[in-house]
Amino acid sequence: QVQLVESGGGVVQPGRSLRLSCAASGFTFSRYGMHWVRQAPGKGLEWVAVIWYDGSDKYYSDSVRGRFTISRDNSKNTLYVQMNSLRAEDTAVYYCARDHTSSWSRLDYWGQGILVTVSS
Amino acid sequence: EIVLTQSPGTLSLSPGERATLSCRASQSVIHNYLAWYQQKPGQAPRLLIYDASSRATGIPDRFSGRGSGTDFTLTISRLEPEDFAVYYCQQYGSSRALTFGGGTKVEIK
């Protein structure tokens, strides 16, 4: 069965960096696009970034472009997001999600999420 | 960027009643590439509907989606206790960004 497990969250000071990982299993990771989606406490879902199946294309939301970098290692079945210059408004549960296709469409499987808190 | 506006913000209904949720896009969604997700407290979202009207694997047939262009609807024909949750629409027709609606909470009346 498809499993996505996020790790790397925690409390970080404003301006600092953090890298999240998402370990994938139960499917051929290298065939699917992958996303990060976040949810601030008590708020709705916000799409963050997507990476194509082979890493050839990446897109970001306006709110994180230039600060976050999505990447993947298909040999390790792992998705990453490097988050730099973190702000209080980046505080959220971060979900990794599998795209139904090799690029982007609907998100058919989600991880359980990992909390990132940006606070001094 | 396509903005999705969901209404109402909260829907108060009783089990067995019909729920109708709306999602309106700021511009036409190409190929009706619109999905609906259900999220319960403390859980990740779950895909319900894709391409505006196709049910995802394992989704009961009391859930249905319809619409095209800029206006989309999710209908739950008869609410079961486990259906009380928050529902989000999401478009994937844009070539630059995915977007989610703000959500509709379906609560027990």
Side-chain angles (χ1 to χ4, degrees):
Chain A
Q1 71 284 16
V2 173
Q3 274 200 308
L4 299 168
V5 180
E6 301 93 341
S7 61
V11 180
V12 60
Q13 293 179 328
R16 303 298 290 264
S17 299
L18 200 63
R19 188 179 81 158
L20 303 183
S21 302
C22 171
S25 60
F27 66 102
T28 305
F29 180 71
S30 60
R31 292 183 180 175
Y32 292 89
M34 295 295 297
H35 300 255
W36 288 99
V37 176
R38 68 184 181 183
Q39 186 168 36
K43 302 297 184 182
L45 301 172
E46 179 189 13
W47 174 76
V48 172
V50 62
I51 185 168
W52 263 217
Y53 71 107
D54 59 356
S56 60
D57 265 327
K58 307 171 187 180
Y59 295 94
Y60 300 90
S61 67
D62 289 344
S63 61
V64 308
R65 188 178 297 114
R67 299 188 299 123
F68 288 15
T69 302
I70 190 171
S71 62
R72 64 191 297 159
D73 186 337
N74 285 347
S75 68
K76 295 182 178 179
N77 291 342
T78 303
L79 174 72
Y80 304 98
V81 63
Q82 176 68 41
M83 305 185 293
N84 297 333
S85 302
L86 282 162
R87 307 166 179 168
E89 54 265 36
D90 295 317
T91 294
V93 172
Y94 284 75
Y95 295 99
C96 68
R98 191 188 84 166
D99 197 286
H100 183 71
T101 70
S102 58
S103 53
W104 79 16
S105 67
R106 59 197 184 264
L107 309 183
D108 57 4
Y109 289 95
W110 298 63
Q112 83 287 354
I114 192 84
L115 178 62
V116 172
T117 302
V118 183
S119 174
S120 55
Chain B
E1 175 182 303
I2 298 177
V3 176
L4 299 178
T5 302
Q6 291 188 241
S7 61
T10 302
L11 202 50
S12 299
L13 295 168
S14 300
E17 290 193 296
R18 182 184 189 90
T20 303
L21 289 66
S22 173
C23 177
R24 179 162 292 178
S26 60
Q27 54 188 281
S28 186
V29 178
I30 292 172
H31 302 309
N32 297 327
Y33 282 162
L34 187 114
W36 290 92
Y37 300 85
Q38 176 193 67
Q39 188 180 33
K40 297 178 181 179
Q43 296 185 17
R46 177 175 72 143
L47 176 66
L48 298 176
I49 300 287
Y50 64 93
D51 295 350
S53 60
S54 297
R55 268 189 302 277
T57 303
I59 301 303
D61 61 7
R62 64 180 182 273
F63 290 92
S64 63
R66 61 180 299 170
S68 64
T70 61
D71 289 299
F72 300 88
T73 301
L74 174 70
T75 300
I76 311 170
S77 59
R78 294 171 310 278
L79 283 164
E80 297 288 340
E82 61 268 27
D83 299 336
F84 291 92
V86 180
Y87 292 84
Y88 295 94
C89 57
Q90 174 235 330
Q91 67 79 24
Y92 44 98
S94 169
S95 61
R96 284 289 180 262
L98 300 185
T99 48
F100 288 93
T104 291
K105 181 180 182 180
V106 178
E107 65 175 23
I108 299 176
K109 186 175 182 180

